[in-house]
Amino acid sequence: MTERRTLASLAAGERGKVMEIGGDGDAVRRLMDLGLTRGTTIEVIRRAPLGDPMEVRLRGFMLTLRRSEAEHITVE
Amino acid sequence: MDVAEAGAIPATHAPSPAPVRGGGLLHVALVGNPNTGKSTLFNALTGMRQRVGNYSGVTVERVEGRYRDADGHPVSVLDLPGTYSLSASSPDEEIALSVLLGRAQGVARPDVVVVVADAQNLERNLFLASQVLELGLPTVIALNQVDAALAAGIRVDAIELTLELGAPVVATVATKGEGLELLKRAVAKAVGLPPAGRRFELEPEAARAVAPLEACLVRGGLNPDAAGMEALRLLAVTQIGPHLAHVEGLAAAVEAARAAVEAAGITARSLEAEARYGWIAGVVERTATQTHTGKKTLTDRIDAVALHRVWGPLLFIVLMALVFQSIFSWAAPLMDRVEALFNALGGAVGSILPPGDLRSLVVDGVIGGVGSVLVFLPQIVILFLFIGILEDTGYMARAAFIMDRFMRSVGLHGRSFIPLLSGYACAVPGVMSTRTIEAPKDRLATIMVLPLMSCSARIPIYTLLIGAFIPPVAVAGIFNLQGMTLLAMYLLGTLTALAMAAVFKKTLLKGRARPMIMELPPYRIPSPRSLAMSVGHRASLFLRRAGTVILSLTIVLWALATYPKSHAAPGTPPAAAQEEQLAHSLLGRMGHAIEPAVRPLGYDWKIGVGIVSSFAAREVFVATMGTIYGVGSADETTPALRDRLKAERHERTGLPVYTPLVAVGLMVFYVYAMMCMSTMAVVVRETGGGRKGMAWAGFQFAYMLALAYGAAFLVYRGGLALGFH
């Protein structure tokens, strides 16, 4: 799987390698502090019952983020 | 540290300025990610000797404790707020960073920093550790939860990690008290050790580009180590942060450094994260081994249900209903007992003191007033017990995850849900629990609307008025009109709270939507000790309020109802004399004075007195009505009071004062009006205290009163126009 997609478009169970992180400065900063840096493997676990936010796994722990944040993250 | 020990440091280390221990007291700061067991470690180290306060100017909790090390030296421990990094992008992180840099007002710069790192999650925890190592302070790493890590197949070599980090690493299991003595010794030995500094090198172009910024920070008084860390941090943050406000020319230097970094083909805002995580990857590879068990963890299996599309919300609703139900059903008998206790106390004191003003002051003013506030204590304790359990097990983050989408529709964060829900029991613990909301504006908006949720103190008013004026007829065959009216009052409060939150977030507290970037920590069994301490702390906060502000206000209200004295003719029955006294008192006069204002709502001066007196607490309205109508001590179920209300006629017109329309209007008034001293006192404190807090609480009181008046007016006038009465 080498096509480029946004994290928001990944279905539960799919994984990707982070290529690009864009969007709001504070959110990006926070994601990076938590280890969401380029090259990190990220797996979508599930979406919340109301469809948003989503739960992902990276570096061995679980993180939540909203669609609006996930749309700015490109994965491969 | 004493001289002999200082001398034991190898000469090659050429100890930097001899460690100074002000008054022999060693200052230690604990930092760490949330959910690493940091607070448990803090509790285990310091036991019950803790002090909780606030950092000056912000509502970030400041928790301090003490212990004595093996040599008997006193050590003061500051438990800094849990944070994932020192980016200073939230109040918690800002405080942690300024304390560590020695720039927090009224806080001594720590002599030693202890970084609590979760062994189950070494990578992410080392990010914060690597930032702290660069601050130029002796640092000790407490590698916590090594037992859980082993169970998950993760083995970390503490000695190897010590060599990698250049700072002592002590393996601990805070929940079982393991490793604590070793940790205390490592802290004692760390004083005066040279700081570790940066453990990796930037690419030469990046280092060159950042150098002028570092120089600018050094000129601003930072030590070279800390300047290096700050320079990297500043490349990525959107705000410089108040603790660096004094550094001259900083904003320009940051801009220049960013441009220089970008010119070298490096993304400025990812430079720090990528450099640190790049280094961390190597460290973890050399110090930790993970044997993949391949099994799903317990947390994975619980979450498959707890966050399931169907079962998740269902479980959530059941849990909330359970919490809610227990607050009411468990607290009720305890509240009755508190009430009975204060009645008995009042009776006992009353029988000792001779009749007169002193007895009245002590019995009705002090004991009665404090009792009416302390009656909330059981609810506060039970609610905080539940909140503590939800928080410590890790479910709170899941609740926020489930509710985020819904809360965002009114501009709030998922974290606002539980405090709002708590408001149904009592706004006091609800407001206190908003501290889990990170964004200050979201937190303020939540506090501002929280008292609109119908709390248990409104129940006596609803019960009295519904029982007296709403006929118990069936609606649609199965529902009872009385029950439906009660439900309508709850819905009215809730919907208004959500609507007002949306209004505040669009106007006064406008701000960008805060990201929902949150860890879902592994589930854990909460430690009873930590639970007990956090519940105890909340309860004592409330009690201190009850003992000061609220006590003095109840005395003022008592005086208003007592003076000036009326002189009832001898032989007047006591109930009638009491009624006459109230009418004659300042409070009664205030009721008369506000009568023109409440007449458009269909009220007479007696209801005016009830409203004025219920400023202290809503349920006082019922007791005041009892006094005014001379039925003695009344509560909402007293048939005499209900009948008396029904029979009450206007002095001039002879028409009934209380019609169903007036009753509904009055209930709507109490849905909205902020009649609660306890809540106001807590709002003052939680919105920043002092003038700032008073302004927010005053604003809240005013807008809620305006809502109450407007809505009651609409109900009454609209109802009349539609032909109701």
Side-chain angles (χ1 to χ4, degrees):
Chain A
M1 190 188 88
T2 48
E3 45 167 337
R4 292 201 162 198
R5 298 161 64 183
T6 71
L7 178 60
S9 71
L10 256 52
E14 282 191 284
R15 32 173 105 207
K17 200 160 127 194
V18 176
M19 302 302 292
E20 202 68 66
I21 308 156
D24 171 72
D26 280 336
V28 172
R29 170 75 209 192
R30 180 149 289 230
L31 287 170
M32 287 184 176
D33 287 353
L34 287 164
L36 200 144
T37 51
R38 279 183 291 185
T40 314
T41 303
I42 190 165
E43 179 188 354
V44 176
I45 303 296
R46 61 171 63 84
R47 289 187 165 74
L50 294 170
D52 196 33
M54 70 198 316
E55 180 188 0
V56 299
R57 186 201 310 267
L58 78 149
R59 296 186 192 265
F61 71 98
M62 304 299 180
L63 191 70
T64 70
L65 70 168
R66 292 189 184 134
R67 163 172 284 276
S68 50
E69 286 122 31
E71 272 169 351
H72 296 291
I73 298 169
T74 317
V75 295
E76 176 180 281
Chain B
M1 171 183 280
D2 59 35
V3 182
E5 266 183 278
I9 294 170
T12 48
H13 277 313
S16 40
V20 183
R21 288 180 60 167
L25 185 63
L26 185 72
H27 289 278
V28 174
L30 284 190
V31 286
N33 286 189
N35 310 307
T36 51
K38 179 169 69 69
S39 295
T40 312
L41 184 70
F42 174 78
N43 288 338
L45 278 175
T46 60
M48 303 300 276
R49 286 150 294 173
Q50 298 186 5
R51 255 193 22 220
V52 184
N54 266 22
Y55 292 97
S56 70
V58 283
T59 46
V60 175
E61 213 152 72
R62 172 176 172 176
V63 189
E64 275 172 295
R66 281 191 184 201
Y67 70 83
R68 278 187 183 278
D69 64 17
D71 303 323
H73 294 129
V75 179
S76 158
V77 189
L78 181 63
D79 187 17
L80 288 171
T83 132
Y84 292 107
S85 74
L86 296 179
S87 300
S89 56
S90 77
D92 282 3
E93 291 171 3
E94 172 70 35
I95 281 293
L97 182 57
S98 20
V99 167
L100 294 178
L101 290 173
R103 299 214 171 269
Q105 215 184 325
V107 188
R109 189 175 193 209
D111 301 305
V112 178
V113 190
V114 174
V115 179
V116 186
D118 182 356
Q120 301 170 84
N121 216 316
L122 202 54
E123 271 186 88
R124 199 195 63 217
N125 280 268
L126 283 183
F127 184 84
L128 175 67
S130 77
Q131 287 184 320
V132 174
L133 288 175
E134 292 177 18
L135 292 177
L137 288 170
T139 305
V140 176
I141 314 286
L143 187 65
N144 198 26
Q145 303 186 358
V146 285
D147 56 340
L150 272 180
I154 301 167
R155 187 181 291 273
V156 182
D157 187 332
I159 295 173
E160 201 61 47
L161 194 58
T162 301
L163 298 175
E164 291 282 350
L165 301 184
V169 177
V170 179
T172 55
V173 182
T175 46
K176 297 180 192 151
E178 288 171 21
L180 291 189
E181 286 313 312
L182 199 56
L183 180 64
K184 288 180 187 173
R185 282 190 43 200
V187 167
K189 296 278 182 202
V191 188
L193 281 186
R198 183 170 290 168
R199 309 304 290 176
F200 57 89
E201 301 225 347
L202 292 177
E203 288 172 51
E205 317 88 81
R208 264 198 304 278
V210 176
L213 177 55
E214 288 179 12
C216 170
L217 286 161
V218 171
R219 280 198 301 277
L222 268 74
N223 75 42
D225 276 330
M229 181 266 160
E230 283 279 13
L232 268 192
R233 179 185 81 83
L234 288 169
L235 289 179
V237 295
T238 47
Q239 274 159 9
I240 282 175
H243 68 279
L244 292 180
H246 66 285
V247 181
E248 256 176 71
L250 186 56
V254 171
E255 275 317 308
R258 275 188 199 150
V261 169
E262 296 278 349
I266 302 164
T267 315
R269 68 176 178 180
S270 59
L271 176 61
E272 179 181 13
E274 284 176 2
R276 291 193 194 282
Y277 274 108
W279 166 74
I280 289 168
V283 173
V284 170
E285 203 183 296
R286 291 187 291 274
T287 60
T289 52
Q290 174 154 28
T291 44
H292 269 288
T293 49
K295 272 192 305 185
K296 285 205 161 189
T297 64
L298 184 62
T299 295
D300 291 338
R301 277 179 287 157
I302 296 176
D303 274 343
V305 178
L307 298 179
H308 185 269
R309 199 166 288 229
V310 178
W311 304 126
L314 214 62
L315 179 75
F316 177 72
I317 291 169
V318 168
L319 271 177
M320 291 304 119
L322 201 75
V323 169
F324 210 179
Q325 185 64 32
S326 340
I327 290 170
F328 281 111
S329 58
W330 294 4
L334 289 168
M335 292 169 83
D336 289 346
R337 218 169 287 173
V338 173
E339 251 184 332
L341 188 78
F342 275 87
N343 283 340
L345 187 64
V349 174
S351 63
I352 299 169
L353 293 172
D357 282 3
L358 180 65
R359 182 165 93 179
S360 170
L361 170 66
V362 173
V363 175
D364 302 331
V366 176
I367 297 179
V370 171
S372 73
V373 174
L374 284 193
V375 82
F376 294 121
L377 191 61
Q379 285 194 332
I380 289 177
V381 168
I382 293 176
L383 187 70
F384 274 109
L385 188 64
F386 275 115
I387 287 182
I389 291 173
L390 292 178
E391 191 75 69
D392 291 359
T393 50
Y395 187 78
M396 196 66 112
R398 273 84 183 172
F401 179 66
I402 291 174
M403 290 310 294
D404 182 64
R405 182 74 193 78
F406 173 72
M407 295 308 287
R408 192 151 36 103
S409 62
V410 294
L412 293 179
H413 191 273
R415 287 255 176 209
S416 296
F417 185 76
I418 302 271
L420 282 180
L421 191 76
S422 312
Y424 281 129
C426 180
V428 172
V431 169
M432 285 158 87
S433 67
T434 57
R435 289 195 174 191
T436 55
I437 305 167
E438 280 178 29
K441 284 182 177 171
D442 284 2
R443 184 159 176 265
L444 262 174
T446 309
I447 292 176
M448 283 297 119
V449 305
L450 207 143
L452 289 168
M453 309 296 282
S454 274
C455 66
S456 58
R458 274 124 157 158
I459 294 175
I461 301 175
Y462 296 160
T463 313
L464 171 72
L465 295 173
I466 289 176
F469 299 102
I470 307 294
V473 294
V475 183
I478 44 168
F479 301 109
N480 177 311
L481 185 60
Q482 291 189 329
M484 289 295 100
T485 309
L486 185 62
L487 181 65
M489 295 303 142
Y490 273 87
L491 279 179
L492 183 66
T494 310
L495 294 177
T496 310
L498 295 176
M500 286 310 295
V503 169
F504 284 133
K505 285 291 292 176
K506 287 212 171 74
T507 55
L508 203 56
L509 299 168
K510 199 173 172 138
R512 282 172 308 146
R514 293 287 297 196
M516 177 69 186
I517 298 168
M518 183 182 72
E519 183 192 2
L520 293 183
Y523 287 103
R524 275 181 313 183
I525 295 175
S527 127
R529 186 193 167 104
S530 295
L531 269 181
M533 293 190 72
S534 78
V535 170
H537 163 56
R538 301 288 163 183
S540 76
L541 263 184
F542 177 71
L543 288 180
R544 234 176 297 158
R545 279 283 146 184
T548 53
V549 183
I550 296 166
L551 176 63
S552 29
L553 282 173
T554 49
I555 293 175
V556 169
L557 268 175
W558 167 86
L560 288 179
T562 310
Y563 299 104
K565 296 291 237 182
S566 76
H567 297 284
T572 316
Q578 207 182 7
E579 187 184 339
E580 199 185 314
Q581 163 57 33
L582 191 60
H584 190 71
S585 71
L586 274 173
L587 195 62
R589 292 173 197 196
M590 285 161 87
H592 277 292
I594 69 160
E595 195 183 2
V598 296
R599 201 177 295 133
L601 310 180
Y603 309 156
D604 64 358
W605 72 270
K606 292 179 181 175
I607 302 182
V609 170
I611 289 175
V612 173
S613 72
S614 69
F615 168 73
R618 297 172 178 96
E619 66 277 23
V620 172
F621 178 79
V622 175
T624 309
M625 288 288 118
T627 308
I628 294 181
Y629 290 116
V631 289
S633 67
D635 67 35
E636 65 278 12
T637 53
T638 313
L641 182 55
R642 280 187 207 171
D643 295 341
R644 189 69 186 71
L645 291 183
K646 283 190 206 175
E648 178 73 2
R649 304 278 150 177
H650 273 294
E651 282 160 17
R652 285 186 307 271
T653 59
L655 293 169
V657 171
Y658 295 90
T659 62
L661 191 58
V662 168
V664 170
L666 197 51
M667 277 192 277
V668 169
F669 182 88
Y670 276 102
V671 166
Y672 289 140
M674 163 102 170
M675 298 288 193
C676 182
M677 281 193 309
S678 317
T679 306
M680 288 198 67
V682 171
V683 169
V684 170
R685 185 194 144 91
E686 294 296 316
T687 52
R691 266 188 194 194
K692 198 169 132 208
M694 303 273 252
W696 278 112
F699 168 70
Q700 183 175 36
F701 182 79
Y703 102 78
M704 287 179 66
L705 191 64
L707 264 185
Y709 190 89
F713 183 86
L714 274 182
V715 167
Y716 183 66
R717 293 287 149 184
L720 285 181
L722 291 173
F724 291 99
H725 58 83

